Amino acid sequence: MARDLEEYLRPEVQTTPFCPGCGHGILMGLLLRAVDELALDMDRVLFVSGIGCAAWIPSPHFNADTLHTLHGRAIPFATGAKLFNPELTTIVVSGDGDLTSIGGNHLIHAARRNIDLTVICANNMIYGMTGGQVASTSPLGALTSTTMEGNIYRPFDLCKLVKAAGAAYVARFSVTQPLSVISAIKKGINTEGFSFIEVLSPCPIQFGRRNRLDTPAAIVERLHEQCISLEEAGVLSPEELEDRIITGEFVHGGA
Amino acid sequence: MRYRVVQSIFPPGNYYFSGNEAVAEGAIAAGCRYYAGYPITPSSEIMERISVRFQKGGGVFIQMEDEIGSICSVIGASWAGAKAMTATSGPGFSLMMEAIGYAAFTETPIVVVDIQRAGPGTGQATRVGSGDVMQTKWGSHGDYQVIAHSPWSVQEMYDFIIKAFNMAEQYRVPSFVLADEAVGHLREKIVIKETVEVCDRVKRPGAAPFDTEEEGGIPPMPSFGEGERLLVTGSTHDAYGFRKTDDPNVHARLVSRLHKKVMDHRDEIVDVEGYYLDDDLEGLVVSYGFTARSALFAVQRLRSDGVRVGMMRLKTLWPFADRVVAEVSKRTKKIFVPEMNMGQVAGEVMKYACCEVITYNQTNGEVIHPHTILEEMRRIL
């Protein structure tokens, strides 16, 4: 973490728990840069997270009010706090398993209600903390500790899901696109209503080592190759788009 | 602890309310300003009335997508500074259990009203039961303490919800009104007084929000947005909320304090009511909730026949009235516990009583008729 962002971290916290090569540390820095660039008053920011690796991005690191909740339930906890005190800038940061599998129903309903939350989903396409089990975001064929012969189910396209449910701002970028991530988080926070930012975050330990991406560099490189912008995707055929991840802003809302 | 007397929001006077309506009014009187719920029979009238009352100003109401969302948002609102509640019934109550444990572990004041129906499963959705007594205390994983009130009248629905809010704030625990469907849907006269005694949470800027050296063991509780930079987690935590999941001492100390902060105050929390508790009784009925109305009828009939029987009504179920039961059991030959479940409170009575304990269990979705209790008591005495 860059030293100029130290003021946003609790002084008691000396290290992060993330594995070598994990994208969550990068996302952590990008999120704080967005907070810094918006000059948010940390006394008025509430970070809410569920359970899992990504839930540890704000808790205990961020020097603001942080609420580390139950698996899948970050959004309803945040809903209660935000509705009772609308002055709080309420940012939910959690993982794909947490927000979209066990917490999937809360996600679509919060988007439908257009509650003024910014939800940042750190998507590593697997259950990291519990030992690399398949997630609702794992790609078809992915090898995980519960799909040793390859995942047979299609992954959610989270941005399409949340867009359909009525979110005011929806974007997807990878931690390999740091400036875009910062910009999207800033737009999400500035959007009045429900904002959803999916951030692709590599998991070399649980995902990479099972899927022939044995080093942090390999999984980052793979992510880099896979990601394609909305504009580039527009001229490609469905076959060419197979295995690619479209990044960009899908709903602009009132930002 | 900060108790203060405030004017009743609802115009004082005599009213003819249902139990569910009374509990909604009592909650507002106690300062409830956040309500999240999900429809379920036989509790829904509470949510409906609060949704209308909050519309006229003063509170935040949301109908969530399920009971899990409801209680989680109540906990979030409580940390944002609200006196917050939800109401439900059996299946919804089961769904809330994980979050109830979270609230206990993070010392979040919340109030839950459970209008009990006949279970298990979907059971008899519109019928009465008292099957959630043990779930209230033991439904979530791990060791924790809660406070549960057991009303037998519409008046007590109003009075006990106010107590539930005050005790939730005072002890920083989940606090329950555990009513039977029969009380929720009962209509009778209640008196709304001019004033209400309410308890406000203690705030002390900079103080540790999760531990205290002070007697009583209840730390002050700040809210989000007050500049305290709170660290709230459902993981094992130290006095300032830092996760300390690998430290056996931190975990043991925390669980022990959460236990003691309620159990050391149980003489102040436990509320019982005695009838005809003479020195030497042939039999004693221990009863609670709606069943106690039938039990009192039977006891009064037996007294008029000259039978030396008494009754003890448990106005609180958790923490359990262990010392009272132990004491009163010395003065009777038998204790009779009629219940609309298979013996959930009877089991507790057996733990502490030094006399014979006889049960009557009825789980057919109907209230226990006064004559049923009378016949059973005549049979055993």
Side-chain angles (χ1 to χ4, degrees), chain A residues 188-205:
Chain A
I189 291 171
N190 278 338
T191 299
E192 204 169 308
F194 189 84
S195 306
F196 183 78
I197 301 119
E198 177 185 348
V199 181
L200 300 163
S201 178
C203 175
I205 300 298

Side-chain angles (χ1 to χ4, degrees), chain A residues 177-191:
Chain A
Q177 301 161 294
L179 297 180
S180 301
V181 171
I182 294 172
S183 162
I185 293 173
K186 284 164 68 180
K187 284 184 185 172
I189 291 171
N190 278 338
T191 299

Side-chain angles (χ1 to χ4, degrees), chain A residues 125-135 138 144-147 206 210:
Chain A
M125 305 177 188
I126 201 157
Y127 282 82
M129 192 176 284
T130 47
Q133 296 85 3
V134 71
S138 298
T144 74
S145 64
T146 49
T147 58
Q206 297 293 5
R210 287 189 175 84

Side-chain angles (χ1 to χ4, degrees), chain B residues 20-306:
Chain B
N20 283 347
E21 288 166 348
V23 92
E25 286 307 328
I28 294 167
C32 174
R33 296 295 177 268
Y34 185 89
Y35 186 103
Y38 186 78
I40 186 166
T41 303
S43 76
S44 297
E45 298 88 359
I46 300 170
M47 176 165 75
E48 288 161 9
R49 188 174 181 99
I50 286 197
S51 76
V52 172
R53 297 277 282 116
F54 276 4
Q55 239 173 14
K56 292 172 186 163
V60 177
F61 168 81
I62 185 167
Q63 182 175 320
M64 291 295 284
E65 55 274 13
D66 57 30
E67 286 89 348
I68 300 173
S70 301
I71 191 156
C72 290
S73 81
V74 162
I75 298 170
S78 180
W79 276 103
K83 290 186 179 178
M85 74 173 282
T86 185
T88 189
S89 184
F93 199 42
S94 300
L95 284 177
M96 291 179 181
M97 281 304 145
E98 184 192 14
I100 286 168
Y102 179 94
F105 204 45
T106 53
E107 301 179 73
T108 312
I110 57 163
V111 173
V112 181
V113 179
D114 177 20
I115 308 295
Q116 297 171 92
R117 65 194 222 184
T122 307
Q124 293 172 289
T126 60
R127 300 296 180 130
V128 73
S130 301
D132 304 350
V133 175
M134 296 310 279
Q135 187 184 18
T136 307
K137 172 67 190 76
W138 300 105
S140 197
H141 49 284
D143 289 290
Y144 61 100
Q145 293 292 335
V146 298
I147 296 172
H149 303 269
S150 174
W152 76 340
S153 64
V154 172
Q155 182 70 52
E156 283 191 347
M157 288 290 265
Y158 181 83
D159 295 341
F160 285 6
I161 187 84
I162 295 170
K163 277 185 156 186
F165 270 100
N166 288 345
M167 288 191 176
E169 297 293 333
Q170 184 171 349
Y171 297 104
R172 285 187 62 183
V173 286
S175 174
F176 300 86
V177 173
L178 199 54
D180 315 303
E181 179 275 342
V183 179
H185 286 158
L186 181 69
R187 271 188 186 277
E188 60 187 1
K189 188 187 118 175
I190 75 159
V191 181
I192 292 187
K193 291 185 194 153
E194 283 190 13
T195 57
V196 183
E197 199 177 48
V198 297
C199 176
D200 294 324
R201 67 190 61 151
V202 171
K203 292 181 185 291
R204 203 172 303 136
F210 300 106
D211 202 355
T212 177
E213 295 298 323
E214 283 178 39
E215 208 176 328
I218 304 145
M221 182 176 171
S223 301
F224 293 145
E226 292 177 344
E228 292 284 310
R229 312 265 176 116
L230 288 168
L231 181 48
V232 184
T233 177
S235 299
T236 298
H237 48 274
D238 69 10
Y240 284 90
F242 283 94
R243 267 197 300 279
K244 290 281 159 61
T245 54
D246 293 336
D247 189 331
N249 293 326
V250 169
H251 189 78
R253 179 183 160 85
L254 178 54
V255 172
S256 161
R257 184 175 58 77
L258 298 186
H259 178 78
K260 279 161 65 71
K261 76 172 181 179
V262 173
M263 296 311 280
D264 284 359
H265 293 100
R266 64 192 190 280
D267 290 343
E268 295 139 54
I269 299 168
V270 169
D271 196 4
V272 299
E273 193 170 69
Y275 297 87
Y276 316 110
L277 293 184
D278 300 341
D279 284 342
D280 182 24
L281 292 169
E282 290 293 314
L284 171 77
V285 184
V286 172
S287 192
Y288 61 95
F290 192 86
T291 305
R293 292 169 83 115
S294 296
L296 184 59
F297 172 91
V299 167
Q300 283 169 338
R301 182 63 65 88
L302 288 168
R303 295 288 304 188
S304 67
D305 293 346

Side-chain angles (χ1 to χ4, degrees), chain A residues 10 12 42-44 46 56 59-60 63-70 73 76-77 80-81 83-84 88 105-106 109 113, chain B residues 34 63-66 68-69 72-73 75-77 80-82 99 102 224-225 227 229-234 242-243:
Chain A
R10 293 188 193 274
E12 296 89 341
M42 287 291 259
D43 281 345
R44 298 280 177 278
L46 167 64
W56 286 6
S59 173
N63 196 3
D65 287 325
T66 54
L67 181 61
H68 178 232
T69 67
L70 296 169
R73 316 300 169 199
F77 275 88
L83 287 183
F84 188 71
L88 296 169
N105 201 32
H106 305 306
H109 282 278
R113 293 190 189 104
Chain B
Y34 185 89
Q63 182 175 320
M64 291 295 284
E65 55 274 13
D66 57 30
I68 300 173
C72 290
S73 81
I75 298 170
Y102 179 94
F224 293 145
R229 312 265 176 116
L230 288 168
L231 181 48
V232 184
T233 177
F242 283 94
R243 267 197 300 279

Side-chain angles (χ1 to χ4, degrees), chain A residues 205-220:
Chain A
I205 300 298
Q206 297 293 5
F207 190 93
R209 75 187 159 94
R210 287 189 175 84
N211 290 280
R212 295 173 184 273
L213 298 160
D214 289 342
T215 65
I219 193 168
V220 168

